[in-house]
């Protein structure tokens, strides 16, 4: 029986995240990451353009998993399509709470990484807006729904990786969406 | 009667925006801005650290006007406090639709400026979240309300500067908030 052995890419990612968490993002060099993974710097650069790419690898898939969920939704109200996108992402993109937690801790300590993460989420909102427009949703509604969906994702993700949280990301997202409904409904008029 | 004459700062801002709009942000030098304003480069740098600062001057006041509105709101539901923040900003920070329209057109053509603008709005969401927390609003609700408020502002601002739009920013924001209420309510369950 062949024992599964993680590939170079996965070893580099694991080694990088471990060192970032321990020594900070700025306090870690590519040489150290490569060494910790038992590989050369040359190999590192075959997989990643730079240190930062280790943290943001898979951004395209990240967006894609939301968009697939959105496009797979029935011909519902836009917010239901966005809810389907969030469900799909929770199920298909975030299998490992520990990895996500450590990654976020690394980001939270580095303003440059925080900016990049914000831009990633803004890009997701734009992509979801465009996908809703393609479904015939009017511009204001599309933008508003996509941005609200990303807000729900951000808040839910933060709760999901909090210490001691045991609910699934999908469950938390549904609870946060329900909370948003209550909050927005409270504006009266 | 003394005719009001704009100060150096205002002349530099007006000259810069005009040139950015005509020649693009990258296609404009500080020397050209200073010359167009009838001032020296040295004077330019007395007011602005760089070209980009001309576009983002007043960021602190921008946040402050939202926060003042929020803090001046009664002890209402969080979304009502955020609605008050948006009202205050519309009334006190955006007097000139033409300037806002040109500024946005300049930003829309430059990815670096777009990123900076997104970060500015993210910073606003964080500041409003913290202000709500200080009012005793629970973390999830605070974050969700602040982010939704910023989404409403973004969408309303985009509509406000669209060609031919005549409604006030405050009126558009109220309409967009009502639309959000409808959209979020539509998720059923």
């Amino acid at each position: 029986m062949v024992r599964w052995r993680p590939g170079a890419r996965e070893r580099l990612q694991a080694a990088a995240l471990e060192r970032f968490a321990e020594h900070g993002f700025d306090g870690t060099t590519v040489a150290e990451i490569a060494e910790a993974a038992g590989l050369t710097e040359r190999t590192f650069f075959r997989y990643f353009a730079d240190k930062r790419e280790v943290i943001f690898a898979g951004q395209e898939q990240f967006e894609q998993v939301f968009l697939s969920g959105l496009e797979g939704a029935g011909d519902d109200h836009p917010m239901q399509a966005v809810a389907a996108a969030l469900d799909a992402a929770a199920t298909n993109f975030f299998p490992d709470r520990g990895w996500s937690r450590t990654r976020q801790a690394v980001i939270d300590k580095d303003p440059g990484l925080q900016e990049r993460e914000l831009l990633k989420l803004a890009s997701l909102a734009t992509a979801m807006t465009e996908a809703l427009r393609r479904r015939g949703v009017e511009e204001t509604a599309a933008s508003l729904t996509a941005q609200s969906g990303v807000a729900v994702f951000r808040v839910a993700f933060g709760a999901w990786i909090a210490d001691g949280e045991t609910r699934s990301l999908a469950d938390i997202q549904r609870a946060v969406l329900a909370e948003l409904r209550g909050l927005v409904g409270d504006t009266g008029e």
Side-chain angles (χ1 to χ4, degrees), chain A:
Chain A
M1 195 178 141
V2 179
R3 184 166 161 270
W4 180 76
R5 188 165 172 272
R9 185 187 178 80
E10 287 71 22
R11 278 155 64 198
L12 286 163
Q13 279 190 299
L17 200 64
E18 197 176 307
R19 292 201 71 91
F20 291 159
E22 206 167 320
H23 305 284
F25 180 73
D26 277 340
T28 302
T29 66
V30 168
E32 287 163 356
I33 296 167
E35 199 195 327
L39 295 164
T40 63
E41 275 190 74
R42 198 190 155 96
T43 304
F44 178 93
F45 287 115
R46 204 174 299 148
Y47 291 97
F48 303 101
D50 55 32
K51 268 196 305 183
R52 191 178 274 211
E53 282 309 305
V54 182
I55 297 280
F56 293 99
Q59 169 156 6
E60 217 167 281
Q61 294 96 299
F62 172 76
E63 271 189 29
Q64 203 46 59
V65 73
F66 282 89
L67 295 184
S68 301
L70 199 155
E71 279 149 20
D75 196 12
D76 301 326
H77 294 286
M79 203 67 195
Q80 288 175 324
V82 168
L86 268 59
D87 261 349
T91 310
N92 301 318
F93 194 79
F94 298 100
D96 185 343
R97 199 188 305 236
W99 163 275
S100 290
R101 186 180 280 148
T102 308
R103 177 182 176 278
Q104 193 62 46
V106 170
I107 290 174
D108 287 346
K109 281 188 197 133
D110 186 283
L113 298 178
Q114 283 167 42
E115 290 194 356
R116 173 76 182 266
E117 182 75 355
L118 282 169
L119 296 172
K120 189 181 98 172
L121 293 169
S123 165
L124 171 63
T126 303
M128 290 211 292
T129 300
E130 285 163 5
L132 288 166
R133 295 282 286 140
R134 284 195 297 274
R135 290 166 72 97
V137 177
E138 177 267 331
E139 193 169 341
T140 302
S143 180
L144 214 46
T145 315
Q147 289 183 55
S148 302
V150 171
V152 167
F153 166 72
R154 284 181 65 179
V155 169
F157 182 83
W160 181 60
I161 60 171
D163 284 336
E165 178 62 59
T166 55
R167 289 173 299 166
S168 72
L169 178 54
D171 283 349
I172 299 175
Q173 283 179 161
R174 278 184 221 111
V176 171
L177 187 52
E179 184 162 0
L180 176 64
R181 198 153 46 232
L183 287 164
V184 172
D186 268 351
T187 46
E189 288 178 40

